Amino acid sequence: MSENPREKIIICRCNDVTQKEIEDLIDQGITDIEMIKRITHIGMGPCQGRTCIPLVASIIARKTGKKVEEIEIPATRIPVRPVPMGALVGDEDEE
Amino acid sequence: MKSKVDIAIIGGGIIGLMTAFELAKRGEESIAVYEKRYIGSGSTFRCGTGIRQQFGDPANIQMMKRSVEKWKTLGEDMEFPKFKFAQTGYLFLLYSEKEVENFKKNVQLQNSYGIPSRIISPEEAREIVPGLDISEVIAASWNHTDGKANPFLAVYGLSRALKRMDVEINEYTEVQEIMVKDSRITGVKTSKGEVKADIVLNAANAWAKILNQKLGLDFPIEPYKHQGIVTEPFKLGEIKPMVVSFKYGGAYLTQKANGGLIGGIALKYGPTWDLTPTYEFLREVSKNFTKIIPALKYMSIIRQWGGYYAETPDHNAVIGKIEEIEGYYLAAGFSGHGFMLAPAVAEGMAELITKGHTSLPLDFYDPYRFKRGELREQAIQMG
């Protein structure tokens, strides 16, 4: 068991990504939020980045000395909320 | 950024990066890759992840056979074991006698090149994917050595390996012009300055044509908008192979390693540079997917995105040495098959550049076939 609390801080609740994982990537020189997203899948779970993207942007800002506003946020994808396929085909017994 | 390199590669997608990797492995010491956004951002990160050898012509079958061999060892080769080729197969569902006849011919051809594909019964298909609706299926074409891989990890792994090998990767650096003097390549003009080079590889796929036109060259590659979706995760192992149905929308779908479903249908728009996702696609993809696996109606779609198929008239890529300009090479127009073909294309390109010839059947993708009116048989394509 690790003593490092950053390993226990979850940044992305959809995909269980920790603060340490994000910071380790930045330490390796991966500071582009687009690449961090692809490597860790932050922002790509059911919540679509509502929680994690601002947190990751602020971690990048803190570690690189950039301003949060300078960090370009990845594209927002539709649908805005998860939609069951049954609802899209008009299936009556859609749950 | 270096002001002089031996080989300049335009496009930081899977083709450009993989070719840089093959060149560096062969001892080329001065290579640079130029990518106008971030690596993978063009088409690679938008692809459907599938890797298959079930094609209908000898060239694509042989190229994909070689690619699969290389996909299997890529994780080790780039010293990034986190990357894994999931050899989970491709299952084509067949609904008519005519379809079965065509696929029998393809299977025979594939078998003659050592691909272990075979025609199986609907019941066997349902053993592989338990959720399938086989009420209309009369047979399936199955190859267990096909599979899928994560494009994000492939690109990330390659970028790490390339940095170790001193290949310069320039992101957010757009090549605006290819510089030529007396019919010879002299370098590239980028948004961050000029770079001298003796050899240029245009691996810009959908964007390749823009740079070619500035040189007065015309190879027919047009951007078409295709789309994909992923769902929320569900129990792993439910849809191991890539499942394909031409009857239902030209659909392809499979479960990713993290449990979500990824897939698309053949609905396309274009030629266009617009990549806005459409509601028509969202509805059509749901309609067709739930016909193939009815229980998918309970699954929620969480993301939808657009990407280009850089299409040519026969849906086969444009690969080779450009005769009009010494030192200029082209590998683009992959028509939706760039990711899966990348390892073999990269090997072939690296041989072509360093030795002047390759044992791989790159001639099939000859850029001049269109001018000669020798179109290939259309490559089997879905999505």
Side-chain angles (χ1 to χ4, degrees), chain A residues 28 32 48 78 83 86, chain B residues 156 172 297 299 301 303-304:
Chain A
Q28 282 172 45
D32 190 333
Q48 292 286 283
I78 64 167
V83 186
Chain B
Y156 175 46
Y172 300 97
K297 69 183 178 190
M299 299 314 305
I301 293 174
R303 296 173 73 74
Q304 175 191 358

Side-chain angles (χ1 to χ4, degrees), chain B residues 24 115 220 244 307 310 355 368:
Chain B
I115 312 298
V244 179
K355 297 195 303 192
Y368 297 94

Side-chain angles (χ1 to χ4, degrees), chain B residues 87-139:
Chain B
Q87 208 159 20
T88 45
Y90 251 70
L91 184 68
F92 288 82
L93 303 174
L94 311 174
Y95 302 81
S96 72
E97 290 299 341
K98 192 169 170 265
E99 235 184 342
V100 175
E101 275 319 300
N102 283 339
F103 275 84
K104 270 187 182 159
K105 269 184 232 153
N106 292 343
V107 161
Q108 222 169 30
L109 188 64
Q110 290 152 12
N111 291 169
S112 74
Y113 288 100
I115 312 298
S117 52
R118 61 196 171 97
I119 301 292
I120 61 172
S121 69
E123 291 72 25
E124 287 174 292
R126 198 162 59 182
E127 272 167 37
I128 298 166
V129 181
L132 287 180
D133 177 353
I134 54 166
S135 60
E136 297 173 288
V137 175
I138 62 169

